[in-house]
Amino acid sequence: MNSKGSLIAKDGFKNEKDIINKFNNWENDIDAQKWLKIMGYNLKEIEYIKTEILHGYKTDIQVHIAIKLIEVLDTQNIQVKLVSTPYGFNQIDKRWVNKYVEMWNIPDDITRLLKYFTGELKPYKKKR
């Protein structure tokens, strides 16, 4: 990996830790409170939050949210992305094509095209 790629990766890991720290300090962190509200949680019902970094999965961190009174532990998998340039972009979802097929009942011919487009299937003819 080149030095620029290595720096981006290190910044990405730092970003994950920053997000984890925000969720762990949710009672005092305005960003974490906003995120939890967006996710549909009532802050007054949260008993505690525990977070962890995931390895080998499509998501980067896992947030466990314990809800008071009803003894529920809800888990949210979150992918953290760092935009490296003002004009850069990152994907918002990295599921395999078959997951989308399950969710949306995508026809076989479209599934095959999506797999070629995403690189899940190797090209069947030489590229120019």
Side-chain angles (χ1 to χ4, degrees):
M1 183 181 303
N2 64 33
S3 61
K4 183 178 180 183
S6 179
L7 180 60
I8 290 170
K10 286 178 186 174
D11 286 345
F13 293 130
K14 181 186 176 304
N15 205 26
E16 289 172 14
K17 289 177 184 169
D18 290 343
I19 300 302
I20 282 179
N21 289 335
K22 284 182 165 294
F23 274 112
N24 285 340
N25 189 34
W26 69 273
E27 292 170 295
N28 301 309
D29 190 285
I30 293 169
D31 291 328
Q33 291 172 7
K34 286 179 187 175
W35 299 334
L36 290 162
K37 288 176 186 174
I38 290 168
M39 295 162 74
Y41 293 100
N42 179 338
L43 299 181
K44 293 177 183 171
E45 294 177 354
I46 297 175
E47 185 174 349
Y48 69 86
I49 293 179
K50 178 185 169 225
T51 58
E52 61 184 301
I53 293 177
L54 298 177
H55 301 284
Y57 295 93
K58 297 252 181 212
T59 53
D60 299 316
I61 64 174
Q62 192 168 72
V63 182
H64 304 280
I65 303 160
I67 307 298
K68 296 177 190 174
L69 305 175
I70 56 175
E71 297 183 20
V72 170
L73 180 63
D74 197 16
T75 300
Q76 300 290 332
N77 292 329
I78 300 173
Q79 189 171 59
V80 179
K81 288 294 170 196
L82 178 68
V83 177
S84 53
T85 69
Y87 305 105
F89 65 93
N90 282 298
Q91 69 278 3
I92 57 170
D93 196 332
K94 292 191 337 184
R95 297 177 203 190
W96 296 104
V97 170
N98 284 342
K99 281 293 179 191
Y100 293 107
V101 171
E102 288 174 23
M103 292 187 314
W104 299 326
N105 196 25
I106 299 172
D108 290 342
D109 57 339
I110 303 300
T111 298
R112 192 170 47 261
L113 289 172
L114 286 170
K115 287 184 177 185
Y116 281 120
F117 180 76
T118 61
E120 282 187 49
L121 291 176
K122 300 282 185 213
Y124 56 89
K125 60 183 178 179
K126 283 192 171 222
K127 299 178 196 176
R128 292 197 272 172

